[in-house]
Amino acid sequence: GAGAPRCAGAPFFEDLALAEVRASAAAGWPFATAGALARWRGPLIGRSKDKLREAERALDAAAPPVAPRSVRALRAAPRVPKGHVPSFGPLAFASRTELDVLTASGVVRADLAAGTEVESPAPAWPQAVLAPGDGARLVEVYDACRGGPPRATFAPAEDGDAGEPRELVVPTRTALAPPCRAARGEPVPVAPLAWGPAGLEAFVAGEPVLFEAGLGRAVALEALLHQPPARGAARSPDGRWAAVGTDVGVVIAGPRGARRVQSASEPSLARRLVACTVNDGGTYVACLDGARVVVAELPER
């Protein structure tokens, strides 16, 4: 005879979303702060102007917005990875002002200072996220849309001994009310960094995660490791900078702090960019905007 239980309403979830943004900013985690603000969506969550402004101020403190000195699109046509399959991107900096673009016919080197695009002396690089030892491959990370954490699926090597796929729980946060269009769930964006002795290091839903060597478990990282980044990774060649495209702009973080590139006046920067990478020094960031390469030059800090 008791009444049906009542769930918390939109104001409660709004307070929860704001608390997550503020906590991430206070901890000094710019990628997690951007991810928390991007997850603030859904019909069950309140979005009052005052609390959104407070969350935006917290994000601005964690990753201050910066206006790029210039934004350009390259002529080279990149080999665009499938959106739902984790892969290394088609962009890799060869020097502070030279960007290699992986295309269907080879590698093009863009000299960002001279404005030229020519054939690169660098070889093409693999985009599959493979373990250096046994060849295990990360094939997907998905959110089952049931309120739990995402799960990552690893397949055994295609040319090795037969084995079973392995599934790991990923310790990243999910949206309070994720939109589900598929029965199984939604793919989660992944930006791999390196697969080294410690395991696979990657951004999952914009937050750094380590899939430990042997694939026994996945753990959240408070700071990036010092594993040498692979070509096409969301990291600078020296490993000191990282860049990830989010729903609230491209977040770039390194030794001199974090910044966020977002510009309503530049159409390419007003959308979510993917497969980003950054140069040594954090002065150039390159991303995919659909099927084209967009490069933003940032002012020195």
Side-chain angles (χ1 to χ4, degrees):
R6 298 181 62 184
C7 294
F12 170 81
F13 285 116
E14 182 180 38
D15 288 342
L16 185 61
L18 174 60
E20 187 179 40
V21 173
R22 293 178 59 187
S24 298
W29 299 337
F31 296 108
T33 306
L37 186 55
R39 286 191 297 272
W40 193 336
R41 65 184 190 272
L44 301 180
I45 309 176
R47 293 177 65 86
S48 66
K49 291 182 179 180
D50 290 345
K51 290 181 180 179
L52 275 175
R53 279 197 293 266
E54 186 177 350
E56 289 165 353
R57 286 195 296 268
L59 175 61
D60 289 346
V66 58
R69 295 177 60 183
S70 65
V71 179
R72 73 185 80 174
L74 302 184
R75 296 188 303 274
R79 185 188 296 172
V80 179
K82 295 181 180 179
H84 64 283
V85 179
S87 60
F88 288 102
L91 309 176
F93 277 94
S95 71
R96 281 181 175 252
T97 59
E98 293 177 309
L99 176 70
D100 280 344
V101 181
L102 182 65
T103 72
S105 57
V107 181
V108 172
R109 177 159 295 178
D111 188 320
L112 304 178
T116 59
E117 297 181 34
V118 299
E119 182 179 355
S120 174
W125 59 88
Q127 291 183 275
V129 186
L130 299 174
D134 58 11
R137 178 168 52 97
L138 177 62
V139 295
E140 67 175 356
V141 178
Y142 69 95
D143 179 356
C145 298
R146 296 173 183 167
R151 294 180 177 270
T153 303
F154 291 85
E158 294 179 355
D159 56 353
D161 295 334
E164 294 295 327
R166 181 173 299 184
E167 193 172 83
L168 297 180
V169 173
V170 186
T172 61
R173 290 162 289 185
T174 58
L176 296 174
C180 279
R181 294 179 296 272
R184 192 179 183 213
E186 295 289 332
V188 175
V190 178
L193 297 171
W195 203 327
L200 171 61
E201 189 180 358
F203 284 103
V204 180
E207 298 186 38
V209 171
L210 176 67
F211 298 93
E212 294 182 339
L215 301 179
R217 65 171 183 164
V219 296
L221 294 175
E222 293 187 5
L224 299 180
L225 305 180
H226 297 291
Q227 300 189 114
R231 300 211 82 196
R235 207 163 182 181
S236 60
D238 65 5
R240 303 180 70 191
W241 295 83
V244 177
T246 75
D247 289 338
V248 293
V250 181
V251 179
I252 304 107
R256 294 191 289 276
R259 295 191 283 180
R260 179 169 49 97
V261 181
Q262 185 184 40
S263 173
S265 62
E266 169 55 44
S268 63
L269 299 182
R271 297 188 291 269
R272 177 171 182 154
L273 304 180
V274 299
C276 296
T277 192
V278 62
N279 72 336
D280 293 346
T283 55
Y284 280 103
V285 60
C287 304
L288 293 187
D289 176 20
R292 68 173 187 163
V293 180
V294 174
V295 182
E297 182 183 3
L298 308 182
E300 296 277 356
R301 296 202 63 166

